[in-house]
Amino acid sequence: MNNIVYLHNLREEKENQLVSFVSKHISATHMYVERQVNIREKVKAKHIFSEQISLEKGVVFSSLQEKLFNDWFTYDYVTISGMTIYQNYIKNANGQKHPLDSVVHALFMASVLEPFKVIKTVGENIHAKKLLTGEECVIKTDRKVEEVAPSSILFLRSIPLLDGQLCVSNIFIQQDDTLIDALLTEYKKSSESWRTFLKKYSIKYSWTSQSVK
């Protein structure tokens, strides 16, 4: 029994260390995007982005839309060098390397803005099903999530933990069921993997969503 308790505590400690490291990594990434990325790159990205989701030129984004754009710009937009902004950040990162760097970097590069169907919310945790497979999971967040109706569709970016998923983005609720149906229909017509499809097109189906507090 003591061994079981020890293993549980050790697992919990390691997960807490990972969550803490990821939180600092997200802050550092956001700071890089805000302070180091050339403004012309962002202007160019907004032009490409607007074409991709059929927005009129010169449309001013709302604060929510800016959050969605910045998520896409950081992790999914590909620069002329063939790399994402996040990959450029990793390439140019200075300072002492951490043992968790390679693992966390790989997880973030593989992450996508993914749709989940809510089962229930409990405190800071979202119990949900992955939209495509129906696989159940617990998504851990850094704040208490307001109650969201069961079967609601949430878009969020997450990485796997030792137990469950860790949300590493803002959380968006899509209330337009026709867009979700369209997403699944278009995916089934596609020859791409689910993650590749979401990497390219998830923003299109989450653009009219609302923020979850």
Side-chain angles (χ1 to χ4, degrees):
M1 183 65 181
N2 287 338
N3 286 339
I4 295 175
V5 171
Y6 172 76
L7 289 173
H8 173 77
N9 290 341
L10 181 62
R11 185 185 183 93
E12 191 174 70
E13 181 183 347
K14 286 187 175 296
E15 185 167 285
N16 289 338
Q17 288 174 351
L18 176 59
V19 171
S20 177
F21 181 81
V22 166
S23 178
K24 293 174 183 176
H25 182 65
I26 293 172
S27 296
T29 302
H30 289 172
M31 187 176 295
Y32 171 82
V33 174
E34 290 175 7
R35 299 183 180 181
Q36 301 297 324
V37 176
N38 190 307
I39 188 65
R40 286 177 295 181
E41 190 72 63
K42 197 165 189 177
V43 171
K44 176 185 173 184
K46 277 200 172 182
H47 177 72
I48 293 171
F49 178 82
S50 295
E51 286 188 339
Q52 183 170 321
I53 61 174
S54 302
L55 283 179
E56 293 182 8
K57 291 182 179 179
V59 171
V60 178
F61 294 173
S62 68
S63 59
L64 171 65
Q65 290 169 338
E66 280 288 350
K67 290 176 182 178
L68 273 163
F69 167 77
N70 285 331
D71 180 272
W72 173 85
F73 178 63
T74 302
Y75 299 106
D76 299 332
Y77 166 70
V78 179
T79 67
I80 196 169
S81 68
M83 300 174 69
T84 64
I85 298 296
Y86 179 75
Q87 287 173 314
N88 276 321
Y89 164 62
I90 298 306
K91 179 181 178 182
N92 296 319
N94 296 316
Q96 186 174 356
K97 299 297 182 182
H98 191 282
L100 287 173
D101 275 345
S102 59
V103 174
V104 169
H105 296 169
L107 293 176
F108 270 78
M109 283 190 280
S111 69
V112 293
L113 195 63
E114 185 174 2
F116 293 85
K117 180 176 285 190
V118 174
I119 299 172
K120 62 180 179 180
T121 58
V122 181
E124 297 180 350
N125 295 337
I126 302 169
H127 296 252
K129 292 181 180 179
K130 294 187 177 183
L131 188 62
L132 182 67
T133 64
E135 176 189 353
E136 294 188 11
C137 61
V138 176
I139 304 164
K140 301 182 179 184
T141 74
D142 61 357
R143 59 194 180 278
K144 185 174 181 180
V145 183
E146 68 176 14
E147 187 172 344
V148 180
S151 297
S152 296
I153 302 298
L154 300 182
F155 279 85
L156 57 89
R157 191 176 295 271
S158 68
I159 61 172
L161 291 172
L162 297 173
D163 181 20
Q165 301 284 123
L166 176 66
C167 178
V168 294
S169 71
N170 290 288
I171 305 171
F172 308 95
I173 182 169
Q174 179 53 272
Q175 297 178 321
D176 188 343
D177 292 337
T178 59
L179 278 176
I180 301 304
D181 291 340
L183 184 157
L184 292 172
T185 298
E186 290 304 311
Y187 167 67
K188 289 173 183 176
K189 292 178 182 178
S190 169
S191 60
E192 296 173 310
S193 71
W194 178 237
R195 302 195 74 79
T196 299
F197 181 85
L198 291 178
K199 199 80 173 170
K200 291 181 178 180
Y201 306 114
S202 184
I203 191 69
K204 175 181 176 181
Y205 299 101
S206 60
W207 184 241
T208 58
S209 60
Q210 298 177 0
S211 182
V212 174
K213 296 179 182 178

